[in-house]
Amino acid sequence: MSTRNALQIRAGVLSHYNEVAKRLGLNPALMLRKVGLTPRMLSSPTQLIPLHNALALLEISAQESGCSTFGLLMAEARLLSDFGPISLLLTHQPSMRMALQTIAQYRHILNESLGMHMEDVGKTTLIREEVMSDYAGSTQQSTDMAVGVLMLIFRAILNPHWRPQAVHFTHPANSDVQVHRRLFGCPIHFDSDFNGLVCMKADMDKPNARADAAMASYAQSFMDAMPQRGESSLVHDVRRSVYLLLPMGRASVDQIASGLGMNVRTLQRRLDDSAVSFSQLLNEVRCELAQRYITHTSHSMGRVAEQLGYANLSSFTRWFTVQFDCTPTGMREQTADQNRLA
């Protein structure tokens, strides 16, 4: 049994779509219809829409407008207030680290499909982001938008001119990277092993001069009065952890259980209650990432195998062939042929 149900996200993720599309000469209503959405679906930020449709909308909009940075332009158009009530809570967090932890706590309200992992490395902090989906198409635009929105949050809390040490994307560079340079203002690494930002650890823990504890408390009480997540969210939490930790070689049941604040036996028991096993979730995520790396990055097969937890290419190829009924090279060649004919 697959756990990959039709995940839904809030329409607020597509805030400012109409204005960006019009600016690039697109008809927003027509573009929405092409992916099975309607203007009414986007009229309320809290309206739930299918994730696959939203991902497809960004990709097809980039293709038909001829703008390979459509997702970044969407991020540039966003305001912190577009997040709704949680924007007040974020603004008054005592540090950037606390703000990102708040985002993780309320991701069911913001974007359930987005995974984020923070890791301190010496004097720097790596913030990895991953769009969780078995969507077969490219997720470049949604990934670019997610990393761009992360920049918005940093600048809203630290200062409007803040810059990270580096930005990383797993996808290849576009022919035009001017928007990337304008938005991030730092070294940009494409064909990387992860999507996200590298910043100074001191920036993460720098006191937020605008933080007001009373306002934060008020906003917290408001957020806590909103509907909570159900028990089924544990499956999403495990999948999210696998998405983020698998390319780092850390997606063991022990590490993921520890990261979720429980022991392995408790995690397995709770997954059993949801009629799913850890190995099943691991294999599903591995399939999703394998297809994404093979068809939408230029990473070597050896590099893909390593990112998916295989010590050698032959073992990865055998697993891949069983899952997809073709070799990794065969899938990449087939995708290239389809792109040439498109």
Side-chain angles (χ1 to χ4, degrees):
M1 183 188 71
S2 173
T3 65
R4 292 174 285 192
N5 298 321
L7 187 62
Q8 293 187 311
I9 58 174
R10 283 169 171 74
V13 171
L14 295 175
S15 295
H16 304 284
Y17 173 77
N18 286 353
E19 64 188 69
V20 174
K22 288 178 180 177
R23 192 196 322 160
L24 295 173
L26 299 177
N27 181 327
L30 177 60
M31 299 304 298
L32 289 168
R33 284 199 297 272
K34 287 186 176 184
V35 299
L37 298 174
T38 66
R40 186 174 182 178
M41 289 180 178
L42 302 191
S43 61
S44 171
T46 59
Q47 172 74 37
L48 292 176
I49 60 175
L51 172 62
H52 280 204
N53 302 54
L55 297 177
L57 177 66
L58 295 175
E59 295 300 329
I60 194 174
S61 296
Q63 293 167 9
E64 299 209 5
S65 66
C67 177
S68 60
T69 54
F70 192 93
L72 286 183
L73 295 181
M74 287 280 290
E76 276 194 312
R78 292 285 286 273
L79 303 171
L80 193 62
S81 58
D82 292 327
F83 289 106
I86 197 174
S87 61
L88 182 63
L89 183 58
L90 293 177
T91 301
H92 292 287
Q93 289 303 297
S95 69
M96 189 66 220
R97 189 182 300 275
M98 293 297 293
L100 294 186
Q101 290 173 355
T102 299
I103 289 174
Q105 179 182 355
Y106 293 103
R107 56 184 162 229
H108 60 291
I109 293 174
L110 293 169
N111 186 348
E112 188 73 22
S113 72
L114 189 64
M116 181 187 299
H117 178 77
M118 292 184 288
E119 180 181 12
D120 292 333
V121 181
K123 294 182 178 181
T124 64
T125 300
L126 278 64
I127 305 168
R128 300 168 179 260
E129 289 195 301
E130 191 69 60
V131 176
M132 297 170 35
S133 172
D134 62 343
Y135 176 65
S138 170
T139 57
Q140 176 177 331
Q141 301 305 319
S142 55
T143 298
D144 282 2
M145 184 174 73
V147 177
V149 169
L150 183 58
M151 280 288 295
L152 160 71
I153 298 171
F154 265 93
R155 287 174 171 163
I157 293 175
L158 296 178
N159 72 72
H161 305 292
W162 179 87
R163 295 180 180 183
Q165 296 298 296
V167 178
H168 290 255
F169 295 100
T170 58
H171 63 73
N174 300 323
S175 58
D176 182 3
V177 294
Q178 290 184 4
V179 178
H180 289 80
R181 291 172 179 160
R182 181 179 74 230
L183 179 59
F184 298 110
C186 69
I188 303 167
H189 302 278
F190 297 96
D191 287 313
S192 181
D193 290 330
F194 73 101
N195 298 299
L197 305 178
V198 179
C199 67
M200 296 303 296
K201 182 180 175 182
D203 287 344
M204 294 291 292
D205 299 311
K206 181 180 179 181
N208 178 8
R210 292 177 293 174
D212 183 318
M215 289 299 294
S217 177
Y218 166 76
Q220 183 78 57
S221 62
F222 183 87
M223 295 300 301
D224 289 344
M226 298 181 71
Q228 299 297 306
R229 296 186 297 176
E231 181 69 19
S232 62
S233 68
L234 175 66
V235 173
H236 294 300
D237 287 343
V238 173
R239 281 175 55 82
R240 181 180 295 105
S241 297
V242 175
Y243 255 98
L244 293 164
L245 298 180
L246 182 58
M248 300 166 62
R250 302 181 191 173
S252 68
V253 65
D254 301 82
Q255 291 210 21
I256 288 177
S258 176
L260 295 175
M262 61 186 78
N263 59 44
V264 172
R265 182 175 296 179
T266 300
L267 174 61
Q268 292 175 330
R269 175 178 55 77
R270 292 182 61 185
L271 288 177
D272 286 342
D273 291 341
S274 297
V276 65
S277 67
F278 177 80
S279 60
Q280 179 185 348
L281 294 176
L282 176 62
N283 196 65
E284 287 183 359
V285 172
R286 184 173 271 144
C287 285
E288 293 167 16
L289 288 178
Q291 189 170 17
R292 185 177 301 179
Y293 292 153
I294 293 295
T295 59
H296 300 298
T297 77
S298 56
H299 296 178
S300 69
M301 294 303 172
R303 185 176 174 188
V304 172
E306 183 179 356
Q307 287 179 296
L308 297 177
Y310 287 92
N312 59 72
L313 182 57
S314 59
S315 297
F316 166 66
T317 301
R318 286 194 296 271
W319 169 83
F320 189 96
T321 303
V322 169
Q323 301 298 320
F324 296 98
D325 199 28
C326 69
T327 65
T329 301
M331 177 177 283
R332 178 165 283 178
E333 291 175 348
Q334 182 181 11
T335 301
D337 291 340
Q338 292 172 346
N339 290 339
R340 281 193 291 269
L341 294 173

